[in-house]
C-alpha cells in the first residue's frame, strides 16, 4: 500500500506534467509580452499571480496555475505581483499607443529623422527604435518607406497627369531613385503598373501532382504563383483575380519542362528548386517569407518563433496573415509553420496537404541523414 509521501510525490509530478503540457507554459518560459492579457498565472508557493512576461524567477511547474483573468486569480486567493503589476496596463499596451502615435506622424509627414520622431512621442531614439520594431516588425525608416510605396501604388492607380507626378506626389525626392527600385516596389515598371498590369505577360500551366491540381505561373522575372487545389478551373480563376489586367498565356512545350521541375520539387523536396522567384508583397510580408525560406526541410517553426526571428515578437498574428498571403506554395514554405503546441492549422491549401508536405520532407531528411551516417561509417571502416 503506497505511503502518503509517495502519493503526494505522484500528485506533484502529475501537476507538473499538466502544466508542462499546457501551451501557456511555453509563453511563461519565454516571458512572452505578446501573451500578456490573454491569461495570467499564479504560483502556489508564493501566493501571487503574474502576467506571462513577468521578469521574476521562473516558478516550478507543479506550483503554477493558470487563470483567464485577474479576477479569477484573486477569487482563487492569489494577490497581484508587485513586480509585473498585472492590474496595471502592460508595457506592451503603453508602447502600442506611442508606436501608433509615431505611425500617424510618419503616415502624415513621411520620412522623419529618428531623433525628431522620438522627441515628439517623448522617448529616446534607441527606445523608440526598439519598441517600434517590436510592434510593427519594421524600423521607423522602413515603415515610412512602406507608406511611401503604398502612396505611389495608389497614385499610379488614379488618373494623375503623369507617372512622374505620381512619383513626386507619393513623397519621392527624385524619379531616378524610385525607378531604381520600381521592380521591387511594384513588381513591374511604373507605366505598366498604371495600366493595371495590362502589358504584363504571364505564362502558366496547370498540371497534376500527388497533392492534387497544381498551377505554375511565371512573370518573366521568375515564378510568381504556385497554387494547389482540387479544382484546376478554380486555380485559373485565382490567377486571373491576382493578375486581373495581365495577359495570361498558356505554357508551351518548353514551359511544361519548367512545370515538371516544380512538380518534381513538390514530390521530392530534397531535390531543391533552383528557379528564380518573382516575390511581390509588402516589406513586412517579404521579411516573413524570407524567414520561412530559412527553415530547413524536415523542420518546423511556430508563428511566434518566426515573429521573434524577424525582430517583431508581438507580431504573431501579422506573421500568420503573411503566411496566408503567400502565393508560392512550397517554394516559400509556409507549410513549415505550426502552432506553438505543434498543431497544424492555417494552411490556405488545406491541412492535409500541409501534413503530407511535412511528412515527405521529414522522410527525405531522414533518408539523407541515414545515407550520410552510412558514408561516415564506411570511411571509418
Amino acid at each position: 500500500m503506497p505511503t502518503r509521501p509517495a502519493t503526494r510525490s505522484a500528485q506533484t509530478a502529475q501537476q507538473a506534467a499538466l502544466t508542462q503540457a499546457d501551451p501557456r507554459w511555453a509563453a511563461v518560459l519565454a516571458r512572452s509580452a505578446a501573451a500578456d492579457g490573454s491569461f495570467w498565472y499564479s504560483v502556489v508557493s508564493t501566493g501571487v499571480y503574474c502576467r506571462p512576461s513577468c521578469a521574476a524567477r521562473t516558478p516550478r511547474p507543479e506550483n503554477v496555475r493558470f487563470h483567464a483573468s485577474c479576477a479569477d486569480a484573486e477569487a482563487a486567493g492569489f494577490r497581484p505581483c508587485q513586480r509585473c503589476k498585472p492590474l496595471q496596463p502592460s508595457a506592451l499596451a503603453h508602447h502600442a499607443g506611442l508606436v501608433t502615435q509615431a505611425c500617424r506622424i510618419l503616415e502624415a509627414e513621411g520620412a522623419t529623422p529618428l531623433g525628431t520622431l522620438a522627441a515628439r512621442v517623448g522617448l529616446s531614439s534607441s527606445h523608440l527604435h526598439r519598441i517600434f520594431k517590436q510592434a510593427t516588425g519594421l524600423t521607423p525608416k522602413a515603415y515610412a518607406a512602406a507608406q511611401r510605396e503604398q502612396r505611389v501604388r495608389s497614385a499610379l492607380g488614379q488618373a494623375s497627369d503623369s507617372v512622374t507626378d505620381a512619383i513626386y506626389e507619393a513623397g519621392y525626392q527624385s524619379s531616378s531613385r524610385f525607378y531604381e527600385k520600381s521592380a521591387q516596389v511594384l513588381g513591374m515598371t511604373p507605366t505598366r503598373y498604371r495600366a493595371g498590369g495590362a502589358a504584363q505577360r504571364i505564362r502558366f500551366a496547370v498540371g497534376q501532382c500527388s497533392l492534387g491540381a497544381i498551377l505554375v505561373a511565371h512573370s518573366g522575372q521568375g515564378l510568381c504563383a504556385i497554387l494547389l487545389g482540387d479544382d484546376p478551373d478554380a486555380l485559373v480563376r485565382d490567377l486571373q483575380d491576382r493578375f486581373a489586367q495581365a495577359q495570361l498565356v498558356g505554357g508551351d512545350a518548353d514551359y511544361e519542362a519548367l512545370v515538371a521541375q516544380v512538380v518534381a520539387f513538390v514530390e521530392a523536396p530534397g531535390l531543391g528548386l533552383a528557379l528564380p522567384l518573382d516575390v511581390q508583397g509588402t516589406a513586412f510580408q517579404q521579411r516573413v517569407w524570407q524567414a520561412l525560406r530559412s527553415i530547413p526541410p524536415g523542420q518546423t517553426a511556430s508563428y511566434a518563433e518566426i515573429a521573434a526571428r524577424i525582430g517583431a515578437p508581438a507580431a504573431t498574428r501579422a506573421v500568420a496573415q503573411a503566411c496566408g498571403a503567400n502565393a508560392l506554395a512550397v517554394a516559400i514554405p509556409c507549410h513549415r509553420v505550426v502552432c506553438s503546441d505543434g498543431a497544424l492549422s492555417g494552411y490556405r491549401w488545406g491541412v492535409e496537404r500541409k501534413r503530407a508536405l511535412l511528412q515527405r520532407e521529414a522522410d527525405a531528411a531522414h533518408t539523407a541523414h541515414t545515407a550520410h551516417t552510412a558514408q561516415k561509417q564506411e570511411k571509418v571502416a
Side-chain angles (χ1 to χ4, degrees):
M1 186 171 183
T3 62
R4 185 169 299 174
T7 301
R8 186 181 300 114
S9 177
Q11 293 174 341
T12 298
Q14 183 180 20
Q15 181 59 51
L18 287 173
T19 298
Q20 292 168 330
D22 194 309
R24 292 172 291 188
W25 176 240
V28 173
L29 291 177
R31 292 186 170 88
S32 173
D36 285 350
S38 61
F39 72 91
W40 288 258
Y41 74 92
S42 59
V43 184
V44 173
S45 58
T46 62
V48 303
Y49 70 91
C50 308
R51 60 176 90 245
S53 65
C54 185
R57 186 173 64 180
T58 303
R60 296 176 64 87
E62 62 267 24
N63 292 330
V64 171
R65 304 293 184 271
F66 296 108
H67 307 278
S69 67
C70 293
D72 287 348
E74 293 185 10
F78 296 96
R79 63 184 185 278
C81 172
Q82 293 301 304
R83 186 163 188 170
C84 66
K85 297 180 171 35
L87 291 172
Q88 297 182 10
S90 68
L92 186 63
H94 176 65
H95 291 163
L98 298 176
V99 170
T100 298
Q101 183 181 350
C103 287
R104 298 294 87 82
I105 294 172
L106 293 173
E107 290 165 7
E109 303 176 16
T112 303
L114 180 60
T116 303
L117 184 64
R120 291 178 64 177
V121 299
L123 296 174
S124 68
S125 298
S126 60
H127 192 188
L128 174 62
H129 190 277
R130 183 173 67 255
I131 68 171
F132 194 100
K133 190 172 182 180
Q134 287 175 342
T136 68
L138 300 171
T139 64
K141 182 178 179 180
Y143 185 87
Q147 291 299 312
R148 186 173 59 181
E149 292 168 7
Q150 180 59 45
R151 285 195 297 271
V152 77
R153 282 192 287 264
S154 177
L156 287 170
Q158 299 173 2
S160 300
D161 292 338
S162 68
V163 170
T164 300
D165 288 342
I167 292 171
Y168 283 108
E169 287 171 10
Y172 287 90
Q173 299 302 309
S174 72
S175 58
S176 60
R177 294 191 64 181
F178 171 75
Y179 274 100
E180 289 174 1
K181 297 183 177 181
S182 62
Q184 178 182 345
V185 174
L186 303 174
M188 61 190 79
T189 66
T191 301
R192 180 178 295 178
Y193 185 91
R194 191 181 181 196
Q200 188 176 25
R201 188 172 184 269
I202 294 176
R203 291 194 300 168
F204 76 97
V206 179
Q208 287 291 321
C209 66
S210 61
L211 298 178
I214 181 171
L215 182 148
V216 180
H218 195 284
S219 67
Q221 296 181 358
L223 294 171
C224 59
I226 301 175
L227 310 178
L228 299 171
D230 298 317
D231 183 357
D233 291 336
L235 298 184
V236 175
R237 290 194 296 271
D238 188 353
L239 184 68
Q240 291 172 333
D241 291 341
R242 291 177 179 278
F243 302 95
Q245 302 300 322
Q247 179 187 5
L248 302 182
V249 180
D252 53 20
D254 291 338
Y255 191 75
E256 294 296 336
L258 182 146
V259 175
Q261 283 185 261
V262 176
V263 172
F265 172 63
V266 173
E267 302 296 348
L271 294 174
L273 185 64
L275 293 171
L277 304 180
D278 181 5
V279 182
Q280 300 178 24
T282 66
F284 181 82
Q285 287 172 338
Q286 295 204 35
R287 292 181 65 197
V288 171
W289 296 339
Q290 185 59 41
L292 300 187
R293 297 180 71 186
S294 71
I295 305 173
Q299 298 184 25
T300 60
S302 69
Y303 295 102
E305 289 171 338
I306 294 298
R309 290 184 191 183
I310 64 172
T316 302
R317 183 173 297 179
V319 166
Q321 292 172 341
C323 291
N326 172 34
L328 285 159
V330 189
I332 295 178
C334 53
H335 61 276
R336 295 176 192 159
V337 187
V338 298
C339 297
S340 296
D341 60 358
L344 307 184
S345 67
Y347 194 52
R348 63 176 299 169
W349 292 290
V351 171
E352 288 307 313
R353 289 189 176 90
K354 184 172 188 172
R355 181 175 289 108
L357 284 167
L358 290 174
Q359 185 59 56
R360 64 184 55 175
E361 288 187 351
D363 292 343
H366 176 71
T367 300
H369 176 71
T370 301
H372 179 67
T373 301
Q375 289 177 349
K376 289 177 65 177
Q377 290 175 343
E378 287 178 3
K379 290 181 179 179
V380 172

